[in-house]
Amino acid sequence: MWLENTECPVNSKDIYIEFEKFKSACRELNVDVSNRLIETYERNELLYPVYKIHRPKEYLQGIFEQNHGHGRFKNVIEVPDEYESPLKFEYEELNRWHHPIFPEFDKAFTEGHPLDQAYKRDESFIEKPSKDTYRNWEEYNVVLESTIEETSIKDRKSTARHFYSPWQIYLLEEANRRHTRKINVLIPLGEVEEDILSEQPQKLSLAQWQDHFKTLWEYRFKENLLFRKSLQNIGRNILEGGAAKTFYDNRKRIAKDIYSRHSYELWIDFLRSLSGLYFDCREREKLRFSDCLKSDIRSVIDLLMLGFEKDYRDIINDVGMYLNGRTYFYIPPLERIYPEYESYLKREAKPLLDSILDDYNKEVPNHFKLDKEAINKIIAHAFNSGNETLLVSIIGINKEYFSPSYFGDEGMWAYIRSLAVAAESWVKVFANKTDFRDAIVALASGDFDSCCNQLQTKCGKTNMNVYSHADLQHFLNELQQINLKRGTKNLSWMKFIIRSYLIRNYVVHHTKLAPELFGSTLIELYRSLIFLIFYAWKVK
């Protein structure tokens, strides 16, 4: 099966990317882009580059001649003093800032990206484009010429370098949806342009969040540099101990400094806007595009938790159940994107445990029955006791059974093993015992031991050890036939508890799959483990 790569083509260090890389990222995200389209949006004040660098023709001509002339192997470029600043910027600052071994890296961490530094220095070669500075892109094109050994060499070059930020891809996508339509494929090429633009530009709704996007990406940029610098300082690829604490403390400080530029309420509104756009993209099957949005959504959540010291549950509640004219029910929209751990487990596990409770109550005597409210208490105790594995395993087993993944039986087996171990821990905590059998015996007041002795005798065994699949199958087969009782007391329901004990003994010593354990046998083993959990809760 072909698995689509859905990774976002830009990362947090790409706070600014040059035009060609910007176009490449757009195409990877299935966003229509072309020089003509981008220039049209700039002319109509919809999408400007964040920065433009201007290089005079004479400057480019001098570099062109040296790159192709007799001294081209010197690896040294010389220009007149008036061009020293753009030369240093292009060939040193822009090329070296992302390498931790160079001083430009530390400067980028403290003072921002080199483009931001140059603009703050008021360098003459850099500008922030606006309506007043717009020129047709064709005006930037120049022809460079040189002669080598009587051979003329020419090159067409732009005097302007255009830099965009990745988040502007979202604006481009919105501009495309509002302003372009594809021509009929039957119309011969050349008669009309490939894309037809609307006559009047429409305001982009995402444009109102440009300051938030800039702030978000400044944080992501600095966080990335901080992490790389922290790794360089320890000379390893894992942050731990004091190095990890220092990194997280510094990250929190950066978050507080940057995110205080906007109010918490506006950040929540921004998060609603991104989340609404995410669902819109999923519906239009722009999956890679939505993955980039998901990364930005995660960054906003992280920064709200760090900068404003909010719990994720509070952020979910503050975003609410209403996005872009749509009301969401049962699961909040933000949690549909990034599930909140405790809420997700509680929400998913409860109906699964509810579905088995009736079966349990039908099997056990009245004094062992549980009411519906017990399920909520069991789930809460699983969290309070640090046994979330119990819930994770139950959810995983059901997902694999009803919506199989390509892990096959291996995935199901892994969850069964986890559930068996979690059930063992559950019982031993209630009985305050370190041995599993001793724990069940303590909770069952002798009934379990009596039934196990009956089964051992029936199987010709002196214990309940399971050394192989054959041993397990032997016990399970005999368990189906035996009439479990203690004196006059009917203990037929105790077969579920014994099954739980047997499967735990088997899974902790065997990792190899046995095909015979799947199908109806697997269902019975799963139900038995849940029965043990219910029983232990009742008699604890």
Side-chain angles (χ1 to χ4, degrees):
M1 178 181 179
W2 176 259
L3 297 179
E4 182 183 9
N5 178 10
T6 57
E7 293 183 1
C8 189
V10 292
N11 60 52
S12 52
K13 72 178 178 61
D14 296 322
I15 185 172
Y16 304 121
I17 52 179
E18 204 159 359
F19 183 48
E20 289 303 318
K21 185 173 182 179
F22 181 77
K23 288 195 297 183
S24 177
C26 289
R27 292 182 181 118
E28 287 192 55
L29 298 177
N30 196 26
V31 176
D32 290 336
V33 64
S34 67
N35 290 34
R36 170 182 172 270
L37 200 59
I38 297 295
E39 182 183 5
T40 300
Y41 290 151
E42 184 177 341
R43 183 172 61 251
N44 286 278
E45 306 172 41
L46 293 172
L47 183 65
Y48 292 107
V50 180
Y51 289 113
K52 278 187 184 179
I53 294 177
H54 295 283
R55 295 91 48 85
K57 179 180 178 181
E58 295 76 16
Y59 166 79
L60 295 176
Q61 178 66 36
I63 295 175
F64 180 76
E65 291 177 356
Q66 292 177 68
N67 284 337
H68 294 86
H70 295 294
R72 61 185 180 278
F73 302 113
K74 296 191 304 181
N75 293 324
V76 174
I77 296 177
E78 297 177 350
V79 296
D81 291 345
E82 60 185 303
Y83 301 135
E84 182 179 348
S85 184
L87 180 72
K88 181 177 182 296
F89 181 76
E90 284 197 293
Y91 288 87
E92 292 185 18
E93 295 180 46
L94 271 185
N95 288 339
R96 304 200 308 191
W97 68 267
H98 50 281
H99 296 292
I101 62 174
F102 293 120
E104 286 82 4
F105 180 90
D106 290 329
K107 194 172 183 182
F109 179 72
T110 56
E111 300 183 30
H113 190 278
L115 286 165
D116 294 322
Q117 296 178 40
Y119 187 77
K120 291 174 185 176
R121 295 196 304 263
D122 200 24
E123 296 281 7
S124 59
F125 57 79
I126 190 170
E127 72 172 15
K128 285 189 175 181
S130 65
K131 177 183 178 181
D132 296 332
T133 63
Y134 172 75
R135 290 168 54 191
N136 290 329
W137 286 16
E138 183 62 32
E139 296 180 26
Y140 294 120
N141 293 330
V142 295
V143 176
L144 308 177
E145 299 181 74
S146 183
T147 300
I148 300 177
E149 297 177 355
E150 300 183 354
T151 300
S152 178
I153 299 176
K154 294 184 179 181
D155 188 21
R156 185 179 176 86
K157 201 81 169 178
S158 173
T159 60
R161 295 178 67 179
H162 306 252
F163 290 87
Y164 294 83
S165 195
W167 56 265
Q168 291 180 291
I169 297 176
Y170 307 148
L171 272 67
L172 173 59
E173 168 67 9
E174 182 182 355
N176 287 344
R177 285 193 290 114
R178 291 180 181 273
H179 299 95
T180 65
R181 59 186 184 274
K182 290 293 184 182
I183 64 169
N184 190 309
V185 294
L186 297 178
I187 300 176
L189 292 176
E191 292 186 10
V192 294
E193 297 288 350
E194 180 184 355
D195 296 306
I196 303 174
L197 273 68
S198 304
E199 292 183 2
Q200 296 297 324
Q202 301 179 41
K203 184 177 180 181
L204 303 183
S205 61
L206 284 176
Q208 65 180 308
W209 300 112
Q210 292 189 72
D211 287 344
H212 283 74
F213 276 120
K214 293 174 183 176
T215 305
L216 172 66
W217 275 81
E218 181 181 344
Y219 169 77
R220 296 184 67 178
F221 175 74
K222 289 193 172 183
E223 181 189 42
N224 180 274
L225 295 187
L226 176 63
F227 181 70
R228 293 165 67 193
K229 185 176 179 65
S230 299
L231 290 179
Q232 183 197 26
N233 290 339
I234 63 173
R236 298 195 304 272
N237 291 326
I238 298 177
L239 284 179
E240 56 187 354
K245 183 180 186 306
T246 299
F247 167 74
Y248 287 114
D249 288 345
N250 288 335
R251 187 176 72 146
K252 187 171 184 178
R253 176 181 53 77
I254 292 172
K256 286 182 174 293
D257 291 343
I258 291 180
Y259 266 60
S260 60
R261 299 173 190 173
H262 310 288
S263 69
Y264 175 74
E265 290 72 23
L266 282 177
W267 279 115
I268 290 295
D269 287 341
F270 179 51
L271 196 52
R272 290 193 187 104
S273 181
L274 291 181
S275 300
L277 182 58
Y278 170 85
F279 289 115
D280 177 63
C281 291
R282 300 297 289 186
E283 288 181 359
R284 291 188 289 116
E285 297 186 355
K286 284 186 168 287
L287 302 184
R288 296 201 70 193
F289 189 88
S290 66
D291 283 339
C292 286
L293 277 165
K294 188 173 182 179
S295 295
D296 281 350
I297 290 169
R298 176 60 185 266
S299 292
V300 175
I301 293 170
D302 289 346
L303 265 296
L304 291 178
M305 294 177 70
L306 289 169
F308 292 96
E309 298 185 356
K310 292 284 185 177
D311 290 331
Y312 183 40
R313 172 48 52 190
D314 293 334
I315 297 171
I316 291 172
N317 293 336
D318 290 339
V319 170
M321 306 290 284
Y322 183 82
L323 291 179
N324 288 2
R326 175 187 299 179
T327 299
Y328 292 79
F329 297 96
Y330 187 46
I331 304 176
L334 189 57
E335 196 176 347
R336 294 168 189 258
I337 303 173
Y338 282 108
E340 193 269 333
Y341 184 60
E342 183 171 344
S343 297
Y344 170 78
L345 293 184
K346 288 179 177 179
R347 182 174 60 247
E348 295 293 321
K350 186 178 187 309
L352 300 176
L353 290 171
D354 281 338
S355 68
I356 296 182
L357 182 59
D358 287 342
D359 291 340
Y360 168 81
N361 284 335
K362 289 176 183 177
E363 294 286 348
V364 300
N366 289 334
H367 56 287
F368 291 139
K369 296 182 189 297
L370 294 172
D371 58 27
K372 290 287 186 181
E373 183 57 31
I375 299 299
N376 293 327
K377 295 177 181 178
I378 287 172
I379 292 174
H381 185 77
F383 275 97
N384 294 337
S385 62
N387 198 351
E388 300 99 312
T389 299
L390 187 148
L391 305 179
V392 172
S393 303
I394 292 171
I395 295 168
I397 289 168
N398 281 271
K399 285 188 179 296
E400 285 292 339
Y401 188 83
F402 292 105
S403 300
S405 71
Y406 286 92
F407 294 114
D409 292 342
E410 289 88 349
M412 182 79 74
W413 186 244
Y415 283 122
I416 287 290
R417 295 181 77 238
S418 295
L419 180 58
V421 173
E424 176 187 5
S425 175
W426 181 265
V427 173
K428 289 195 293 190
V429 167
F430 286 145
N432 194 26
K433 299 287 185 180
T434 58
D435 179 80
F436 189 31
R437 179 162 180 166
D438 289 347
I440 300 178
V441 168
L443 293 177
S445 302
D447 287 344
F448 178 73
D449 225 9
S450 174
C451 291
C452 285
N453 289 334
Q454 293 178 58
L455 182 60
Q456 290 169 198
T457 301
K458 177 75 171 175
C459 294
K461 303 281 188 179
T462 59
N463 56 53
M464 296 282 284
N465 293 335
V466 180
Y467 297 107
S468 65
H469 173 256
D471 288 338
L472 175 64
Q473 201 63 59
H474 187 200
F475 278 123
L476 293 177
N477 291 339
E478 294 298 333
L479 187 61
Q480 285 290 94
Q481 308 300 324
I482 195 171
N483 182 22
L484 296 174
K485 60 183 180 179
R486 187 180 181 192
T488 59
K489 184 163 50 171
N490 178 13
L491 295 176
S492 60
W493 57 272
M494 187 60 70
K495 64 186 176 184
F496 295 101
I497 310 304
I498 295 176
R499 280 200 200 101
S500 298
Y501 179 67
L502 289 170
I503 191 60
R504 175 266 176 199
N505 288 351
Y506 182 77
V507 300
V508 296
H509 299 297
H510 297 82
T511 57
K512 185 177 180 180
L513 297 178
E516 297 84 358
L517 288 178
F518 290 86
S520 59
T521 302
L522 179 77
I523 295 173
E524 283 305 309
L525 293 175
Y526 166 69
R527 291 174 70 244
S528 296
L529 287 167
I530 304 298
F531 274 39
L532 175 60
I533 292 165
F534 287 164
Y535 175 74
W537 175 260
K538 181 65 178 181
V539 301
K540 64 183 186 298

